[in-house]
Amino acid sequence: MAMGGKRKRNQDSDGEEDSSKRKIKTETKEPFRPSMIKNKEKRSEVHAKLKHQKKLEKRAKSKARDAAVKRAIELGEELPEKKVPRTIENTREVDETVCKPDDEELFAGNDADEFSSILNRQNNPKILITTCRFNSTRAPAFISELLQIIPNAHYFKRGTYDLKKIVEYANKKDFTSLVVVHTNRREPNALIIIGLPDGPTAHFKLTNLVLRKDIKNHGTPTSHRPELVLNNFTTRLGHRVGRMIQSLFPQDPEFKGRRVVTFHNQRDFVFFRHHRYIFEKKEIKKIESKGKKDEDGESEKVPDHKTIARLQECGPRFTLKLVSLQHGTFDTKGGEYEWVHKPEMDTSRRRFFL
């Protein structure tokens, strides 16, 4: 009897263990996803249904939000707060070097840096543009467009001259900046900007180059001095890079030319765009009141003109990524670096340096 009782207890305990395992499995069961369905047609059908359901929910939320805003306006109440979407930009890591409007040290440094004479309009910028020793077929087309973008820019053929000798020559001829277009495999892939006479030297990686001829419905820029727009250079390093780019252009734009040159920094990528804005008169047919009718008894349509402003891209279009910022003029051996990008610095997608 005792042996039989032990077996029964063991069986009961085994049954309890099995049921507990089943409970754990059901609790840890993954939520249903369309990708779990093996049949392709059924999977695509379920995915389409879920997508349509999400779309309806989103539309219902939007309608409810619009109704709440309308009700608040009618009752004279405060409008409901707009939800700010979470992006990589507004959730970036806290950076101590981000510039503040009341940063007195920063503004004091601006008056004494290498670009202050140009930005305070004491000197006019004069730019020398050259290439690397082994030039490609696409680089001259890019340089010819740079010459149209940057006023008072001059091109000199590199030949076999060393870059240090070109820097000496540029200093003697009173150039304020030197721009070197580097190519690799017949494609411009880097841009070196050297401030003269005392530096600094910035090395940028150049990608996504699109020349003017490849831009659909592109415009032809005039010879007027362009307006310069610098966006989102928030840190001390970004502020310094922004001032360096600003020193390439004159500080008295000619608004008659309607030219705009933009350097937009987003996630440490500097996007370059070149536009001209156009004012067009568009005819809009306006229906008058019911009292005024033509001979056929129909309401008379009176044409009305409306001025519309739009942007036309002139090109080129490219993206820059800062690789290094060096003290003084170009020196690969003994030069001191203010900042160098290293792979180990990319620890997070939300860490930016400009």
Side-chain angles (χ1 to χ4, degrees), residues 48-62:
K49 280 181 182 177
L50 287 171
K51 196 175 180 182
H52 181 66
Q53 192 178 342
K54 281 183 180 179
K55 194 177 180 181
L56 290 174
E57 286 174 5
K58 192 177 179 183
R59 197 180 293 168
K61 282 181 183 178
S62 179

Side-chain angles (χ1 to χ4, degrees), residues 19 33 40 51 62 69 71 84 93 100 110 126 152 160-162 222 235 254 279 286 316 328 337:
S19 62
R33 296 192 307 272
K40 187 179 178 181
K51 196 175 180 182
S62 179
V69 170
R71 201 184 304 113
V84 180
E93 286 185 5
K100 294 176 183 177
N110 287 346
K126 187 181 176 185
N152 203 16
T160 56
Y161 290 103
D162 191 46
T222 59
T235 63
E254 293 176 323
F279 298 106
K286 215 174 188 181
Y337 287 88

